Amino acid sequence: MKWFARQEPGHIWDEPIQWPIGDIEAAERIRAICEAAIASAAGAGRNNKRDSERYERAAKVAMEIAMKISDGLMRDDAVRRIVDLCMKANDLKTAQILFRAIHASWIRETVQRDYPTLA
């Protein structure tokens, strides 16, 4: 009776990455992960266990990819997207750590304007 067995759809953050990928592809992948995980981050902010696990996996994969981006501005923009994801999940500790990793002043100012609690 496998016809009726429901399979959970795969998530973009669970898909294997064929390394090496370029900075542009890495930034696109992080953007897609953050967009796909925003609903889970909101659920994690409401203490939903399943959504918390999904958010944590997505954030972890996004951070691992961001560490491999060599271009400074692209990395800072990718980290900003991950900070947005963390703030949606009320993960202030991780967001503060990532905020300190942003070097571009205009990106830091934008994040600080959006989330004054990170300063």
Side-chain angles (χ1 to χ4, degrees):
M1 297 297 310
K2 291 196 179 238
W3 294 346
F4 301 109
R6 296 183 89 192
Q7 290 197 4
E8 190 168 319
H11 303 291
I12 189 168
W13 53 85
D14 291 332
E15 294 174 5
I17 299 172
Q18 300 297 324
W19 295 103
I21 61 174
D23 289 347
I24 294 172
E25 292 87 3
E28 288 175 357
R29 180 103 176 187
I30 291 170
R31 183 179 338 112
I33 288 171
C34 291
E35 288 174 359
I38 199 78
S40 296
R46 293 187 305 268
N47 295 326
N48 183 322
K49 184 177 178 179
R50 183 169 185 240
D51 283 340
S52 293
E53 291 171 358
R54 292 176 64 201
Y55 152 73
E56 289 172 6
R57 278 196 333 263
K60 180 182 175 193
V61 170
M63 286 184 256
E64 289 172 358
I65 296 170
M67 288 181 358
K68 297 181 184 193
I69 297 176
S70 60
D71 183 73
L73 285 176
M74 288 185 125
R75 184 179 49 248
D76 287 349
D77 183 59
V79 171
R80 179 192 58 82
R81 291 179 186 278
I82 301 169
V83 168
D84 290 340
L85 185 67
C86 292
M87 292 303 291
K88 186 75 170 179
N90 292 329
D91 189 358
L92 190 61
K93 181 180 176 182
T94 305
Q96 287 175 331
I97 293 168
L98 291 172
F99 174 71
R100 284 180 264 168
I102 298 173
H103 296 292
S105 61
W106 65 275
I107 294 176
R108 285 181 66 90
E109 291 170 2
T110 302
V111 173
Q112 205 166 17
R113 185 190 67 229
D114 293 344
Y115 308 109
T117 57
L118 293 178

